[in-house]
Amino acid sequence: VDERTGAVTTTGTPPVRRASHAAVHLGGGRVLVTGGYSYGENAPFGVSNTAEIWDAATGQFRALSARMLVRRVGHSMTLLPDGRVLIAGGLASTAASSYALAEIYDPRTETFSVVPSPDDRQRGFGPSVQLADGSVLLLGGESHTDLHDTVLRFRPDGTGVETLGRLLRARTLVQGVASRDGRVFLFGGETARPEAPAAITDAAESWTQQGGATPIASLPQPRVGHTLTRLRDGRILIVGGESPGGALLGTALLYE
């Protein structure tokens, strides 16, 4: 998409067809794409560990010879200050015999390495938020059997991860966004409730390393699968999503 004209053009042919994958800009017009549900590569349970790079200079994709160490879907990727990429969370196939919560991609060597973690439970579809110091928070998410309420922090140099605290409630299928003062905001998503294993919620909260979780104003209606974008003036734009009844929401909200 050309943001100057709004024109949409096709570019390249990805070597693997994917869904629920992750992508991150590496700089220099290159984009790393990893994992997700794939088609045509006979991956166990359809979950891929392949990776490829799209190059703006050529408009083409190039498959990497190295693969992620864990097959992942619903994971996140974050560019670290030193140019490497943190690949965090995601669900592996239920048949996976081993699982690492996170790994690092090094664009200089085009290789992947595991990040040591005290909590290697599967954790997919939870938000990752990068703070001003380059560290990355992983909040909530889900496994194949339950939802998570813990907040993990990956150090900016990618050397490890620590557990910092808990959210007010377990949450998944939700984005997070950080304010300039370091607060992280979560709106809606799916949350565990006594009356249901997982239910779409209207609840919202903020989280800080110093003060932990704090309730904030709820959404006008429950929604999941929406996007959050912090605007230049500090407000947060909430767009779209799905209602508990399955209807796609055509409304947008501003949080101040």
Side-chain angles (χ1 to χ4, degrees), residues 132-172:
D133 64 359
S135 63
V136 179
L137 300 180
L138 186 62
L139 306 100
E142 64 182 86
S143 71
H144 290 289
T145 57
D146 57 11
L147 305 184
H148 296 291
D149 64 356
T150 50
V151 179
L152 307 180
R153 175 182 176 269
F154 294 89
R155 292 190 281 273
D157 59 4
T159 56
V161 59
E162 58 184 332
T163 301
L164 293 186
R166 296 184 179 276
L167 301 173
L168 292 176
R169 62 186 69 204
R171 239 180 245 270
T172 188

PDB file of all heavy atoms in Angstrom, residues 132-172:
ATOM      1  N   ALA A 132      10.156   1.995  26.492  1.00  0.00           N
ATOM      2  CA  ALA A 132      11.140   2.960  26.009  1.00  0.00           C
ATOM      3  C   ALA A 132      12.570   2.482  26.192  1.00  0.00           C
ATOM      4  O   ALA A 132      13.460   2.866  25.420  1.00  0.00           O
ATOM      5  CB  ALA A 132      10.933   4.298  26.719  1.00  0.00           C
ATOM      6  N   ASP A 133      12.834   1.640  27.203  1.00  0.00           N
ATOM      7  CA  ASP A 133      14.193   1.156  27.428  1.00  0.00           C
ATOM      8  C   ASP A 133      14.564  -0.035  26.536  1.00  0.00           C
ATOM      9  O   ASP A 133      15.647  -0.581  26.651  1.00  0.00           O
ATOM     10  CB  ASP A 133      14.400   0.782  28.901  1.00  0.00           C
ATOM     11  CG  ASP A 133      13.511  -0.387  29.348  1.00  0.00           C
ATOM     12  OD1 ASP A 133      12.724  -0.900  28.517  1.00  0.00           O
ATOM     13  OD2 ASP A 133      13.620  -0.784  30.531  1.00  0.00           O
ATOM     14  N   GLY A 134      13.652  -0.438  25.656  1.00  0.00           N
ATOM     15  CA  GLY A 134      13.912  -1.555  24.754  1.00  0.00           C
ATOM     16  C   GLY A 134      13.453  -2.893  25.269  1.00  0.00           C
ATOM     17  O   GLY A 134      13.439  -3.872  24.514  1.00  0.00           O
ATOM     18  N   SER A 135      13.086  -2.980  26.549  1.00  0.00           N
ATOM     19  CA  SER A 135      12.579  -4.240  27.091  1.00  0.00           C
ATOM     20  C   SER A 135      11.192  -4.529  26.516  1.00  0.00           C
ATOM     21  O   SER A 135      10.519  -3.634  26.001  1.00  0.00           O
ATOM     22  CB  SER A 135      12.529  -4.199  28.617  1.00  0.00           C
ATOM     23  OG  SER A 135      11.618  -3.206  29.065  1.00  0.00           O
ATOM     24  N   VAL A 136      10.782  -5.786  26.583  1.00  0.00           N
ATOM     25  CA  VAL A 136       9.519  -6.212  25.979  1.00  0.00           C
ATOM     26  C   VAL A 136       8.678  -6.926  27.030  1.00  0.00           C
ATOM     27  O   VAL A 136       9.151  -7.857  27.697  1.00  0.00           O
ATOM     28  CB  VAL A 136       9.765  -7.151  24.786  1.00  0.00           C
ATOM     29  CG1 VAL A 136       8.441  -7.616  24.181  1.00  0.00           C
ATOM     30  CG2 VAL A 136      10.621  -6.458  23.728  1.00  0.00           C
ATOM     31  N   LEU A 137       7.431  -6.501  27.175  1.00  0.00           N
ATOM     32  CA  LEU A 137       6.498  -7.145  28.084  1.00  0.00           C
ATOM     33  C   LEU A 137       5.614  -8.108  27.305  1.00  0.00           C
ATOM     34  O   LEU A 137       5.138  -7.790  26.215  1.00  0.00           O
ATOM     35  CB  LEU A 137       5.620  -6.114  28.790  1.00  0.00           C
ATOM     36  CG  LEU A 137       6.306  -5.058  29.648  1.00  0.00           C
ATOM     37  CD1 LEU A 137       5.260  -4.134  30.259  1.00  0.00           C
ATOM     38  CD2 LEU A 137       7.164  -5.694  30.725  1.00  0.00           C
ATOM     39  N   LEU A 138       5.390  -9.282  27.876  1.00  0.00           N
ATOM     40  CA  LEU A 138       4.437 -10.252  27.349  1.00  0.00           C
ATOM     41  C   LEU A 138       3.347 -10.394  28.394  1.00  0.00           C
ATOM     42  O   LEU A 138       3.617 -10.794  29.533  1.00  0.00           O
ATOM     43  CB  LEU A 138       5.129 -11.586  27.090  1.00  0.00           C
ATOM     44  CG  LEU A 138       4.296 -12.667  26.397  1.00  0.00           C
ATOM     45  CD1 LEU A 138       3.873 -12.211  25.012  1.00  0.00           C
ATOM     46  CD2 LEU A 138       5.092 -13.965  26.287  1.00  0.00           C
ATOM     47  N   LEU A 139       2.117 -10.045  28.026  1.00  0.00           N
ATOM     48  CA  LEU A 139       1.031  -9.951  29.002  1.00  0.00           C
ATOM     49  C   LEU A 139      -0.070 -10.952  28.663  1.00  0.00           C
ATOM     50  O   LEU A 139      -0.607 -10.959  27.555  1.00  0.00           O
ATOM     51  CB  LEU A 139       0.444  -8.540  29.027  1.00  0.00           C
ATOM     52  CG  LEU A 139       1.433  -7.385  29.261  1.00  0.00           C
ATOM     53  CD1 LEU A 139       1.795  -6.726  27.945  1.00  0.00           C
ATOM     54  CD2 LEU A 139       0.857  -6.343  30.212  1.00  0.00           C
ATOM     55  N   GLY A 140      -0.405 -11.796  29.635  1.00  0.00           N
ATOM     56  CA  GLY A 140      -1.512 -12.715  29.432  1.00  0.00           C
ATOM     57  C   GLY A 140      -1.258 -13.721  28.332  1.00  0.00           C
ATOM     58  O   GLY A 140      -0.161 -14.239  28.172  1.00  0.00           O
ATOM     59  N   GLY A 141      -2.299 -13.998  27.540  1.00  0.00           N
ATOM     60  CA  GLY A 141      -2.210 -15.001  26.496  1.00  0.00           C
ATOM     61  C   GLY A 141      -2.881 -16.293  26.908  1.00  0.00           C
ATOM     62  O   GLY A 141      -3.495 -16.392  27.977  1.00  0.00           O
ATOM     63  N   GLU A 142      -2.777 -17.308  26.063  1.00  0.00           N
ATOM     64  CA  GLU A 142      -3.466 -18.561  26.318  1.00  0.00           C
ATOM     65  C   GLU A 142      -2.594 -19.760  25.974  1.00  0.00           C
ATOM     66  O   GLU A 142      -1.683 -19.677  25.151  1.00  0.00           O
ATOM     67  CB  GLU A 142      -4.748 -18.625  25.483  1.00  0.00           C
ATOM     68  CG  GLU A 142      -4.507 -18.639  23.982  1.00  0.00           C
ATOM     69  CD  GLU A 142      -5.802 -18.652  23.189  1.00  0.00           C
ATOM     70  OE1 GLU A 142      -6.347 -17.548  22.944  1.00  0.00           O
ATOM     71  OE2 GLU A 142      -6.245 -19.763  22.824  1.00  0.00           O
ATOM     72  N   SER A 143      -2.887 -20.867  26.633  1.00  0.00           N
ATOM     73  CA  SER A 143      -2.328 -22.159  26.267  1.00  0.00           C
ATOM     74  C   SER A 143      -3.446 -22.975  25.637  1.00  0.00           C
ATOM     75  O   SER A 143      -4.537 -22.463  25.398  1.00  0.00           O
ATOM     76  CB  SER A 143      -1.771 -22.875  27.501  1.00  0.00           C
ATOM     77  OG  SER A 143      -2.829 -23.304  28.337  1.00  0.00           O
ATOM     78  N   HIS A 144      -3.209 -24.261  25.401  1.00  0.00           N
ATOM     79  CA  HIS A 144      -4.266 -25.095  24.841  1.00  0.00           C
ATOM     80  C   HIS A 144      -5.363 -25.393  25.873  1.00  0.00           C
ATOM     81  O   HIS A 144      -6.458 -25.820  25.499  1.00  0.00           O
ATOM     82  CB  HIS A 144      -3.678 -26.415  24.337  1.00  0.00           C
ATOM     83  CG  HIS A 144      -2.819 -26.252  23.119  1.00  0.00           C
ATOM     84  ND1 HIS A 144      -3.328 -25.951  21.878  1.00  0.00           N
ATOM     85  CD2 HIS A 144      -1.474 -26.336  22.955  1.00  0.00           C
ATOM     86  CE1 HIS A 144      -2.348 -25.874  21.001  1.00  0.00           C
ATOM     87  NE2 HIS A 144      -1.217 -26.097  21.622  1.00  0.00           N
ATOM     88  N   THR A 145      -5.071 -25.146  27.168  1.00  0.00           N
ATOM     89  CA  THR A 145      -6.019 -25.544  28.207  1.00  0.00           C
ATOM     90  C   THR A 145      -6.505 -24.408  29.096  1.00  0.00           C
ATOM     91  O   THR A 145      -7.524 -24.546  29.763  1.00  0.00           O
ATOM     92  CB  THR A 145      -5.398 -26.626  29.113  1.00  0.00           C
ATOM     93  OG1 THR A 145      -4.178 -26.124  29.682  1.00  0.00           O
ATOM     94  CG2 THR A 145      -5.084 -27.882  28.308  1.00  0.00           C
ATOM     95  N   ASP A 146      -5.768 -23.281  29.167  1.00  0.00           N
ATOM     96  CA  ASP A 146      -6.209 -22.213  30.053  1.00  0.00           C
ATOM     97  C   ASP A 146      -5.672 -20.867  29.584  1.00  0.00           C
ATOM     98  O   ASP A 146      -4.955 -20.769  28.584  1.00  0.00           O
ATOM     99  CB  ASP A 146      -5.779 -22.487  31.501  1.00  0.00           C
ATOM    100  CG  ASP A 146      -4.263 -22.663  31.637  1.00  0.00           C
ATOM    101  OD1 ASP A 146      -3.534 -22.378  30.664  1.00  0.00           O
ATOM    102  OD2 ASP A 146      -3.807 -23.064  32.724  1.00  0.00           O
ATOM    103  N   LEU A 147      -6.040 -19.805  30.327  1.00  0.00           N
ATOM    104  CA  LEU A 147      -5.588 -18.454  30.045  1.00  0.00           C
ATOM    105  C   LEU A 147      -4.555 -18.029  31.078  1.00  0.00           C
ATOM    106  O   LEU A 147      -4.561 -18.512  32.216  1.00  0.00           O
ATOM    107  CB  LEU A 147      -6.764 -17.477  30.064  1.00  0.00           C
ATOM    108  CG  LEU A 147      -7.953 -17.793  29.149  1.00  0.00           C
ATOM    109  CD1 LEU A 147      -8.980 -16.667  29.214  1.00  0.00           C
ATOM    110  CD2 LEU A 147      -7.513 -18.027  27.730  1.00  0.00           C
ATOM    111  N   HIS A 148      -3.683 -17.092  30.700  1.00  0.00           N
ATOM    112  CA  HIS A 148      -2.628 -16.605  31.595  1.00  0.00           C
ATOM    113  C   HIS A 148      -2.955 -15.199  32.101  1.00  0.00           C
ATOM    114  O   HIS A 148      -3.555 -14.400  31.376  1.00  0.00           O
ATOM    115  CB  HIS A 148      -1.283 -16.561  30.867  1.00  0.00           C
ATOM    116  CG  HIS A 148      -0.780 -17.898  30.438  1.00  0.00           C
ATOM    117  ND1 HIS A 148      -0.341 -18.855  31.325  1.00  0.00           N
ATOM    118  CD2 HIS A 148      -0.634 -18.448  29.210  1.00  0.00           C
ATOM    119  CE1 HIS A 148       0.051 -19.932  30.662  1.00  0.00           C
ATOM    120  NE2 HIS A 148      -0.117 -19.713  29.375  1.00  0.00           N
ATOM    121  N   ASP A 149      -2.529 -14.908  33.336  1.00  0.00           N
ATOM    122  CA  ASP A 149      -2.680 -13.556  33.865  1.00  0.00           C
ATOM    123  C   ASP A 149      -1.345 -12.938  34.260  1.00  0.00           C
ATOM    124  O   ASP A 149      -1.313 -11.835  34.805  1.00  0.00           O
ATOM    125  CB  ASP A 149      -3.637 -13.537  35.061  1.00  0.00           C
ATOM    126  CG  ASP A 149      -3.107 -14.333  36.260  1.00  0.00           C
ATOM    127  OD1 ASP A 149      -2.033 -14.968  36.143  1.00  0.00           O
ATOM    128  OD2 ASP A 149      -3.774 -14.322  37.307  1.00  0.00           O
ATOM    129  N   THR A 150      -0.247 -13.614  33.992  1.00  0.00           N
ATOM    130  CA  THR A 150       1.052 -13.104  34.398  1.00  0.00           C
ATOM    131  C   THR A 150       1.633 -12.129  33.374  1.00  0.00           C
ATOM    132  O   THR A 150       1.264 -12.140  32.198  1.00  0.00           O
ATOM    133  CB  THR A 150       2.058 -14.249  34.615  1.00  0.00           C
ATOM    134  OG1 THR A 150       2.035 -15.105  33.469  1.00  0.00           O
ATOM    135  CG2 THR A 150       1.707 -15.048  35.841  1.00  0.00           C
ATOM    136  N   VAL A 151       2.542 -11.280  33.850  1.00  0.00           N
ATOM    137  CA  VAL A 151       3.260 -10.325  33.006  1.00  0.00           C
ATOM    138  C   VAL A 151       4.744 -10.680  33.056  1.00  0.00           C
ATOM    139  O   VAL A 151       5.349 -10.725  34.134  1.00  0.00           O
ATOM    140  CB  VAL A 151       3.056  -8.876  33.497  1.00  0.00           C
ATOM    141  CG1 VAL A 151       3.843  -7.904  32.622  1.00  0.00           C
ATOM    142  CG2 VAL A 151       1.574  -8.525  33.500  1.00  0.00           C
ATOM    143  N   LEU A 152       5.325 -10.939  31.897  1.00  0.00           N
ATOM    144  CA  LEU A 152       6.733 -11.286  31.796  1.00  0.00           C
ATOM    145  C   LEU A 152       7.487 -10.137  31.129  1.00  0.00           C
ATOM    146  O   LEU A 152       6.951  -9.451  30.261  1.00  0.00           O
ATOM    147  CB  LEU A 152       6.934 -12.567  30.982  1.00  0.00           C
ATOM    148  CG  LEU A 152       6.134 -13.793  31.420  1.00  0.00           C
ATOM    149  CD1 LEU A 152       6.447 -14.964  30.500  1.00  0.00           C
ATOM    150  CD2 LEU A 152       6.430 -14.144  32.861  1.00  0.00           C
ATOM    151  N   ARG A 153       8.740  -9.955  31.527  1.00  0.00           N
ATOM    152  CA  ARG A 153       9.579  -8.909  30.927  1.00  0.00           C
ATOM    153  C   ARG A 153      10.841  -9.530  30.347  1.00  0.00           C
ATOM    154  O   ARG A 153      11.589 -10.203  31.048  1.00  0.00           O
ATOM    155  CB  ARG A 153       9.967  -7.864  31.973  1.00  0.00           C
ATOM    156  CG  ARG A 153      10.953  -6.804  31.453  1.00  0.00           C
ATOM    157  CD  ARG A 153      11.331  -5.822  32.542  1.00  0.00           C
ATOM    158  NE  ARG A 153      12.332  -4.853  32.110  1.00  0.00           N
ATOM    159  CZ  ARG A 153      13.650  -5.025  32.240  1.00  0.00           C
ATOM    160  NH1 ARG A 153      14.120  -6.131  32.830  1.00  0.00           N
ATOM    161  NH2 ARG A 153      14.490  -4.098  31.821  1.00  0.00           N
ATOM    162  N   PHE A 154      11.044  -9.299  29.055  1.00  0.00           N
ATOM    163  CA  PHE A 154      12.273  -9.718  28.380  1.00  0.00           C
ATOM    164  C   PHE A 154      13.254  -8.555  28.413  1.00  0.00           C
ATOM    165  O   PHE A 154      12.902  -7.426  28.048  1.00  0.00           O
ATOM    166  CB  PHE A 154      11.997 -10.107  26.930  1.00  0.00           C
ATOM    167  CG  PHE A 154      11.125 -11.329  26.781  1.00  0.00           C
ATOM    168  CD1 PHE A 154       9.748 -11.206  26.729  1.00  0.00           C
ATOM    169  CD2 PHE A 154      11.690 -12.586  26.700  1.00  0.00           C
ATOM    170  CE1 PHE A 154       8.946 -12.335  26.587  1.00  0.00           C
ATOM    171  CE2 PHE A 154      10.894 -13.712  26.569  1.00  0.00           C
ATOM    172  CZ  PHE A 154       9.527 -13.585  26.513  1.00  0.00           C
ATOM    173  N   ARG A 155      14.469  -8.803  28.835  1.00  0.00           N
ATOM    174  CA  ARG A 155      15.471  -7.745  28.906  1.00  0.00           C
ATOM    175  C   ARG A 155      15.857  -7.257  27.509  1.00  0.00           C
ATOM    176  O   ARG A 155      15.811  -8.023  26.539  1.00  0.00           O
ATOM    177  CB  ARG A 155      16.688  -8.240  29.682  1.00  0.00           C
ATOM    178  CG  ARG A 155      16.386  -8.465  31.168  1.00  0.00           C
ATOM    179  CD  ARG A 155      17.645  -8.727  31.969  1.00  0.00           C
ATOM    180  NE  ARG A 155      18.101 -10.107  31.820  1.00  0.00           N
ATOM    181  CZ  ARG A 155      17.680 -11.128  32.576  1.00  0.00           C
ATOM    182  NH1 ARG A 155      16.762 -10.919  33.514  1.00  0.00           N
ATOM    183  NH2 ARG A 155      18.165 -12.341  32.400  1.00  0.00           N
ATOM    184  N   PRO A 156      16.256  -5.979  27.385  1.00  0.00           N
ATOM    185  CA  PRO A 156      16.536  -5.410  26.059  1.00  0.00           C
ATOM    186  C   PRO A 156      17.639  -6.120  25.296  1.00  0.00           C
ATOM    187  O   PRO A 156      17.663  -6.093  24.072  1.00  0.00           O
ATOM    188  CB  PRO A 156      16.947  -3.960  26.372  1.00  0.00           C
ATOM    189  CG  PRO A 156      16.394  -3.666  27.717  1.00  0.00           C
ATOM    190  CD  PRO A 156      16.387  -4.966  28.457  1.00  0.00           C
ATOM    191  N   ASP A 157      18.575  -6.765  26.019  1.00  0.00           N
ATOM    192  CA  ASP A 157      19.676  -7.444  25.334  1.00  0.00           C
ATOM    193  C   ASP A 157      19.342  -8.886  24.977  1.00  0.00           C
ATOM    194  O   ASP A 157      20.182  -9.616  24.444  1.00  0.00           O
ATOM    195  CB  ASP A 157      20.947  -7.415  26.181  1.00  0.00           C
ATOM    196  CG  ASP A 157      20.772  -8.074  27.552  1.00  0.00           C
ATOM    197  OD1 ASP A 157      19.672  -8.618  27.816  1.00  0.00           O
ATOM    198  OD2 ASP A 157      21.725  -8.043  28.345  1.00  0.00           O
ATOM    199  N   GLY A 158      18.117  -9.310  25.280  1.00  0.00           N
ATOM    200  CA  GLY A 158      17.685 -10.642  24.911  1.00  0.00           C
ATOM    201  C   GLY A 158      18.311 -11.767  25.714  1.00  0.00           C
ATOM    202  O   GLY A 158      18.276 -12.924  25.304  1.00  0.00           O
ATOM    203  N   THR A 159      18.870 -11.456  26.900  1.00  0.00           N
ATOM    204  CA  THR A 159      19.565 -12.484  27.684  1.00  0.00           C
ATOM    205  C   THR A 159      18.642 -13.290  28.587  1.00  0.00           C
ATOM    206  O   THR A 159      19.049 -14.292  29.144  1.00  0.00           O
ATOM    207  CB  THR A 159      20.658 -11.850  28.552  1.00  0.00           C
ATOM    208  OG1 THR A 159      20.067 -10.833  29.394  1.00  0.00           O
ATOM    209  CG2 THR A 159      21.730 -11.212  27.694  1.00  0.00           C
ATOM    210  N   GLY A 160      17.419 -12.882  28.770  1.00  0.00           N
ATOM    211  CA  GLY A 160      16.547 -13.648  29.659  1.00  0.00           C
ATOM    212  C   GLY A 160      15.246 -12.936  29.920  1.00  0.00           C
ATOM    213  O   GLY A 160      14.956 -11.871  29.362  1.00  0.00           O
ATOM    214  N   VAL A 161      14.439 -13.557  30.782  1.00  0.00           N
ATOM    215  CA  VAL A 161      13.094 -13.050  31.050  1.00  0.00           C
ATOM    216  C   VAL A 161      12.794 -13.214  32.536  1.00  0.00           C
ATOM    217  O   VAL A 161      13.316 -14.126  33.189  1.00  0.00           O
ATOM    218  CB  VAL A 161      12.061 -13.807  30.191  1.00  0.00           C
ATOM    219  CG1 VAL A 161      12.098 -15.296  30.466  1.00  0.00           C
ATOM    220  CG2 VAL A 161      10.642 -13.280  30.423  1.00  0.00           C
ATOM    221  N   GLU A 162      11.974 -12.317  33.074  1.00  0.00           N
ATOM    222  CA  GLU A 162      11.572 -12.387  34.472  1.00  0.00           C
ATOM    223  C   GLU A 162      10.072 -12.156  34.587  1.00  0.00           C
ATOM    224  O   GLU A 162       9.472 -11.494  33.747  1.00  0.00           O
ATOM    225  CB  GLU A 162      12.326 -11.335  35.291  1.00  0.00           C
ATOM    226  CG  GLU A 162      12.107  -9.916  34.788  1.00  0.00           C
ATOM    227  CD  GLU A 162      12.941  -8.899  35.542  1.00  0.00           C
ATOM    228  OE1 GLU A 162      13.257  -9.156  36.715  1.00  0.00           O
ATOM    229  OE2 GLU A 162      13.265  -7.847  34.959  1.00  0.00           O
ATOM    230  N   THR A 163       9.471 -12.715  35.626  1.00  0.00           N
ATOM    231  CA  THR A 163       8.047 -12.498  35.899  1.00  0.00           C
ATOM    232  C   THR A 163       7.906 -11.288  36.799  1.00  0.00           C
ATOM    233  O   THR A 163       8.510 -11.225  37.871  1.00  0.00           O
ATOM    234  CB  THR A 163       7.433 -13.734  36.578  1.00  0.00           C
ATOM    235  OG1 THR A 163       7.606 -14.870  35.725  1.00  0.00           O
ATOM    236  CG2 THR A 163       5.950 -13.528  36.826  1.00  0.00           C
ATOM    237  N   LEU A 164       7.089 -10.311  36.387  1.00  0.00           N
ATOM    238  CA  LEU A 164       6.960  -9.060  37.131  1.00  0.00           C
ATOM    239  C   LEU A 164       5.701  -8.991  37.980  1.00  0.00           C
ATOM    240  O   LEU A 164       5.675  -8.288  38.982  1.00  0.00           O
ATOM    241  CB  LEU A 164       6.970  -7.871  36.164  1.00  0.00           C
ATOM    242  CG  LEU A 164       8.267  -7.599  35.405  1.00  0.00           C
ATOM    243  CD1 LEU A 164       8.139  -6.315  34.604  1.00  0.00           C
ATOM    244  CD2 LEU A 164       9.458  -7.499  36.361  1.00  0.00           C
ATOM    245  N   GLY A 165       4.641  -9.634  37.581  1.00  0.00           N
ATOM    246  CA  GLY A 165       3.403  -9.520  38.338  1.00  0.00           C
ATOM    247  C   GLY A 165       2.255 -10.128  37.575  1.00  0.00           C
ATOM    248  O   GLY A 165       2.450 -10.948  36.676  1.00  0.00           O
ATOM    249  N   ARG A 166       1.041  -9.687  37.928  1.00  0.00           N
ATOM    250  CA  ARG A 166      -0.156 -10.248  37.325  1.00  0.00           C
ATOM    251  C   ARG A 166      -1.102  -9.160  36.847  1.00  0.00           C
ATOM    252  O   ARG A 166      -1.088  -8.031  37.359  1.00  0.00           O
ATOM    253  CB  ARG A 166      -0.895 -11.136  38.341  1.00  0.00           C
ATOM    254  CG  ARG A 166      -0.096 -12.364  38.767  1.00  0.00           C
ATOM    255  CD  ARG A 166      -0.898 -13.254  39.689  1.00  0.00           C
ATOM    256  NE  ARG A 166      -0.140 -14.437  40.066  1.00  0.00           N
ATOM    257  CZ  ARG A 166      -0.057 -15.552  39.342  1.00  0.00           C
ATOM    258  NH1 ARG A 166      -0.712 -15.622  38.193  1.00  0.00           N
ATOM    259  NH2 ARG A 166       0.649 -16.575  39.751  1.00  0.00           N
ATOM    260  N   LEU A 167      -1.908  -9.507  35.873  1.00  0.00           N
ATOM    261  CA  LEU A 167      -3.003  -8.656  35.442  1.00  0.00           C
ATOM    262  C   LEU A 167      -4.176  -8.813  36.407  1.00  0.00           C
ATOM    263  O   LEU A 167      -4.191  -9.720  37.245  1.00  0.00           O
ATOM    264  CB  LEU A 167      -3.441  -9.044  34.027  1.00  0.00           C
ATOM    265  CG  LEU A 167      -2.376  -8.954  32.931  1.00  0.00           C
ATOM    266  CD1 LEU A 167      -2.915  -9.544  31.634  1.00  0.00           C
ATOM    267  CD2 LEU A 167      -1.937  -7.514  32.729  1.00  0.00           C
ATOM    268  N   LEU A 168      -5.174  -7.944  36.290  1.00  0.00           N
ATOM    269  CA  LEU A 168      -6.364  -8.080  37.119  1.00  0.00           C
ATOM    270  C   LEU A 168      -7.113  -9.362  36.780  1.00  0.00           C
ATOM    271  O   LEU A 168      -7.781  -9.949  37.628  1.00  0.00           O
ATOM    272  CB  LEU A 168      -7.285  -6.882  36.913  1.00  0.00           C
ATOM    273  CG  LEU A 168      -6.767  -5.539  37.427  1.00  0.00           C
ATOM    274  CD1 LEU A 168      -7.751  -4.437  37.067  1.00  0.00           C
ATOM    275  CD2 LEU A 168      -6.544  -5.585  38.930  1.00  0.00           C
ATOM    276  N   ARG A 169      -7.013  -9.793  35.530  1.00  0.00           N
ATOM    277  CA  ARG A 169      -7.680 -11.014  35.092  1.00  0.00           C
ATOM    278  C   ARG A 169      -6.882 -11.622  33.947  1.00  0.00           C
ATOM    279  O   ARG A 169      -6.163 -10.912  33.235  1.00  0.00           O
ATOM    280  CB  ARG A 169      -9.108 -10.719  34.655  1.00  0.00           C
ATOM    281  CG  ARG A 169      -9.211  -9.766  33.471  1.00  0.00           C
ATOM    282  CD  ARG A 169     -10.654  -9.399  33.174  1.00  0.00           C
ATOM    283  NE  ARG A 169     -11.204  -8.571  34.243  1.00  0.00           N
ATOM    284  CZ  ARG A 169     -12.502  -8.477  34.508  1.00  0.00           C
ATOM    285  NH1 ARG A 169     -13.377  -9.168  33.801  1.00  0.00           N
ATOM    286  NH2 ARG A 169     -12.936  -7.703  35.477  1.00  0.00           N
ATOM    287  N   ALA A 170      -7.002 -12.927  33.784  1.00  0.00           N
ATOM    288  CA  ALA A 170      -6.381 -13.582  32.643  1.00  0.00           C
ATOM    289  C   ALA A 170      -7.031 -13.057  31.371  1.00  0.00           C
ATOM    290  O   ALA A 170      -8.241 -12.849  31.314  1.00  0.00           O
ATOM    291  CB  ALA A 170      -6.564 -15.100  32.745  1.00  0.00           C
ATOM    292  N   ARG A 171      -6.211 -12.838  30.346  1.00  0.00           N
ATOM    293  CA  ARG A 171      -6.709 -12.202  29.125  1.00  0.00           C
ATOM    294  C   ARG A 171      -5.997 -12.778  27.911  1.00  0.00           C
ATOM    295  O   ARG A 171      -4.798 -13.050  27.965  1.00  0.00           O
ATOM    296  CB  ARG A 171      -6.404 -10.707  29.165  1.00  0.00           C
ATOM    297  CG  ARG A 171      -7.590  -9.781  29.072  1.00  0.00           C
ATOM    298  CD  ARG A 171      -7.037  -8.367  29.130  1.00  0.00           C
ATOM    299  NE  ARG A 171      -7.466  -7.676  30.320  1.00  0.00           N
ATOM    300  CZ  ARG A 171      -8.570  -6.952  30.389  1.00  0.00           C
ATOM    301  NH1 ARG A 171      -9.342  -6.829  29.333  1.00  0.00           N
ATOM    302  NH2 ARG A 171      -8.914  -6.350  31.500  1.00  0.00           N
ATOM    303  N   THR A 172      -6.707 -12.932  26.806  1.00  0.00           N
ATOM    304  CA  THR A 172      -6.110 -13.364  25.549  1.00  0.00           C
ATOM    305  C   THR A 172      -6.827 -12.689  24.388  1.00  0.00           C
ATOM    306  O   THR A 172      -7.865 -12.040  24.576  1.00  0.00           O
ATOM    307  CB  THR A 172      -6.169 -14.898  25.407  1.00  0.00           C
ATOM    308  OG1 THR A 172      -5.421 -15.300  24.250  1.00  0.00           O
ATOM    309  CG2 THR A 172      -7.606 -15.378  25.264  1.00  0.00           C
TER     310      THR A 172
END
